[in-house]
Amino acid sequence: MPELERLAAHHAPAVLRFERENRAYFARYVPDRGDDFFTGYAARHAALLDEQERGTCHFHVLTGDHGAVLGRFNLVDVAGGSAELGYRVAERAAGRGLAGEGVRRVCELARTEYGLRRLVASAALANPASLAVLRRAGFVPDGPVPDCAVDVDGKPGLRHVLDLHAPYAAASP
C-alpha cells in the first residue's frame, strides 16, 4: 500500500523525477510549470521545506515501491484554521483510487495533526475525475454554481469546501 509522507529533503530527487515524467500529462489539465521549475528544482524544494517549517503550507508525497512518488497532496495558504488543497497523481497511477485515498488521508491529517477546520479545493470542469475525487471525499460546492464558479488556470471550474468537523468529513470510502 502506498505511503503518504510529509515532504522531506530526501524526497527531492523522486519529486523531480515525478514532475518530469508526468509533465505532458499534467499539462493536459493545468498550465505547464515551465522549464525554470525543472532547472531550478533544488532551490524550489528547499523553499517548500522552509514554507512547511513556518507552518504556512503542509506538503505530502504518496510513495510506492522503492520511494517512487505516485502523487503529491498539498495544503497551502494555511491561515485561520483553513487551507487550500491541491493534488496531482502520476499518469501511471491514475484510475487506481490513489487520488481519492491521498485526498482522504491528507484531509484527516489536516484535521488531526494540523488543527485545520476547513479546506478549499478547486477543479476545472474539464477534469471530471478530479471533481469526483473531491466530492467522494466530502467536499461540496462553495454555494450555488454562479457563486462557486472560479477560473482554474484559464479554464472554468468550481470551488469546493470541506468542513473538517462535519460528521461525514473525509470518511467516505
Side-chain angles (χ1 to χ4, degrees), residues 37-170:
F37 175 88
F38 297 95
T39 57
Y41 187 74
R44 173 73 179 133
H45 193 83
L48 294 175
L49 294 175
D50 286 344
E51 287 181 75
Q52 185 166 261
E53 183 66 27
R54 288 193 308 272
T56 58
C57 298
H58 302 287
F59 303 107
H60 305 85
V61 291
L62 188 68
T63 59
D65 295 337
H66 310 291
V69 174
L70 301 173
R72 297 181 67 183
F73 298 85
N74 302 321
L75 300 169
V76 299
D77 299 333
V78 175
S82 183
E84 184 170 338
L85 168 70
Y87 62 93
R88 52 180 53 201
V89 172
E91 183 174 22
R92 68 183 174 92
R96 296 181 7 208
L98 295 178
E101 182 62 25
V103 166
R104 280 188 293 280
R105 288 186 197 178
V106 83
C107 288
E108 183 62 18
L109 286 171
R111 186 178 67 76
T112 61
E113 299 295 319
Y114 309 137
L116 298 176
R117 297 181 307 276
R118 181 176 188 262
L119 297 180
V120 177
S122 298
L125 295 176
N127 192 349
S130 189
L131 290 166
V133 164
L134 292 175
R135 291 192 177 146
R136 280 193 298 270
F139 282 81
V140 296
D142 190 17
V145 171
D147 295 336
C148 68
V150 293
D151 180 288
V152 179
D153 299 313
K155 299 174 184 171
L158 295 177
R159 182 180 55 247
H160 289 73
V161 295
L162 176 65
D163 176 354
L164 292 169
H165 294 292
Y168 63 85

